[in-house]
Amino acid sequence: MSTAAVPTEGGAGSGTTEPDVMGIELAAEATEFGSQAVRALGAAGGDELVRAAELDPYCRHELVSPVLHRIGAWDLAPRHDPLELEAAAALCRACGYWATPYPVAERLARPVDPVGAVPTGSALSGSGADGLIVVSGPEPAAALAGLDLRFVAVTPNGGRGLVRVRDSARREVLASGRTGAFALRVEFESLGGADGRSNGSPHSVPVGQTGGVGTADGATRDASPDADLALVLTLQCWTLLGMLDRAVELAKDHVLVREQFGKPLAEFQAVQFQLTDAEVERKGVEMLARYAIWSIQSGRSDAVADALALRLAALEAADIVFRVAHQLHGALGFCDESPLSWLSRHSLPLRRLPVGSSGTEEWLTRRIGTRGLTGLFSEPGER
């Protein structure tokens, strides 16, 4: 029996040397870094950050980027170092907790060197990119309103391209904060051939020379579109996980103080059942998110499939968690006085772009076909 999916205690920093063994917890250093990020963002404004950004999306970069810069977020190299990949995941989770109005996962997934991703002579050649996003469909969109940053995009079929927010009137950008959680249509300029695939072939190179993804044995995954997809999809799911953490926490806090018929809502069995359902979903996503990180670290060929499976589970869990949280909050959950309202609204781009649950399921089905995902009872060679 393969040990590929057998979880054990300890993370990448726990002294585990077997690449086939997954740690249930992130490394202690990564967990502490995530805690520092939660505190730093809280001290910088916490929930007020997203409220300020809604009023003026053009200030998003100035609101968030300096805070993350001070704690060393932009020095992380998740593509090159397994421990820093875990730290990036913890950071994304922390940003999700506050519904931080900034594409942190997408910036952390940026190609460090555009070799193989951005051809010579392009707008980004020699200067790199600020971030990486996934786009799909004839009219792609992304939550990039108000940001003057350069993004590379990757498509589910392996295509690469450059994206920019379409020219929009200032009032449209300002309105996007409230009505679309900063999502606007973007223009995608393919860098591949007629089929939309990259002209560059996948290649592997030593650590520190390209935008590959670091593995547990010190090697570097290639800088192929698959490596891009696995990394950005996984980090986005860690952001959504942070939002689920906060939603469950807010629901618990609310039912502990809200009384009905002379006792707290938390004492009603029906409420306890709902919270249990939400917590089970949240915990399941947490374990799958850890598995997807390990899959990237181990250099598994199924890393993209694992990331898509994580995304599908995270989207389904988000539907349940936010439904429970809103039901328990009642009308208050839709009022600006409640952090749940802001959290729920700004989770929508992660849940709907580039595609929703059905689109993610279709991507995953096409990726794995009839083979299925690697599991506890898969043959050792099925990796």
Side-chain angles (χ1 to χ4, degrees), residues 247-298:
V248 171
E249 179 182 299
L250 289 171
K252 289 178 179 178
D253 291 344
H254 180 76
V255 300
L256 285 171
V257 299
R258 184 77 172 185
E259 291 189 358
Q260 197 170 68
F261 304 114
K263 60 181 180 180
L265 288 175
E267 295 185 16
F268 290 91
Q269 193 175 55
V271 171
Q272 295 171 4
F273 285 159
Q274 286 181 287
L275 282 174
T276 299
D277 288 341
E279 177 60 15
V280 168
E281 293 292 333
R282 188 203 65 81
K283 195 65 177 179
V285 173
E286 183 178 21
M287 286 295 100
L288 285 175
R290 182 66 191 91
Y291 181 84
I293 287 290
W294 169 83
S295 183
I296 295 173
Q297 291 171 324
S298 301

Side-chain angles (χ1 to χ4, degrees), residues 133-144 153-156 162-166 183-190 352-355 363:
I133 64 172
V134 184
V135 298
S136 179
E139 296 185 350
L144 302 179
V154 63
T155 65
L162 308 179
V163 293
R164 69 179 184 89
V165 178
R166 294 187 177 185
L184 288 175
R185 291 171 62 185
V186 297
E187 293 180 346
F188 173 69
E189 177 188 351
S190 175
R352 296 178 178 176
L353 297 175
V355 292
W363 288 2

Side-chain angles (χ1 to χ4, degrees), residues 233-372:
L233 288 174
T234 298
L235 291 181
Q236 286 177 333
C237 288
W238 277 89
T239 303
L240 185 55
L241 174 60
M243 292 180 164
L244 301 187
D245 291 339
R246 184 76 185 286
V248 171
E249 179 182 299
L250 289 171
K252 289 178 179 178
D253 291 344
H254 180 76
V255 300
L256 285 171
V257 299
R258 184 77 172 185
E259 291 189 358
Q260 197 170 68
F261 304 114
K263 60 181 180 180
L265 288 175
E267 295 185 16
F268 290 91
Q269 193 175 55
V271 171
Q272 295 171 4
F273 285 159
Q274 286 181 287
L275 282 174
T276 299
D277 288 341
E279 177 60 15
V280 168
E281 293 292 333
R282 188 203 65 81
K283 195 65 177 179
V285 173
E286 183 178 21
M287 286 295 100
L288 285 175
R290 182 66 191 91
Y291 181 84
I293 287 290
W294 169 83
S295 183
I296 295 173
Q297 291 171 324
S298 301
R300 285 166 40 83
S301 60
D302 275 350
V304 176
D306 293 333
L308 287 170
L310 166 62
R311 174 173 168 80
L312 183 58
L315 296 182
E316 293 173 347
D319 288 342
I320 294 172
V321 170
F322 280 109
R323 183 179 71 242
V324 168
H326 277 294
Q327 285 178 341
L328 296 179
H329 274 76
L332 177 64
F334 296 97
C335 298
D336 284 351
E337 290 80 4
S338 170
L340 179 63
S341 173
W342 303 81
L343 188 71
S344 179
R345 184 161 65 250
H346 287 276
S347 73
L348 294 179
L350 284 172
R351 296 158 65 185
R352 296 178 178 176
L353 297 175
V355 292
S357 295
S358 60
T360 302
E361 186 174 9
E362 182 181 354
W363 288 2
L364 179 59
T365 301
R366 289 180 178 177
R367 170 71 57 167
I368 64 176
T370 59
R371 173 175 55 87

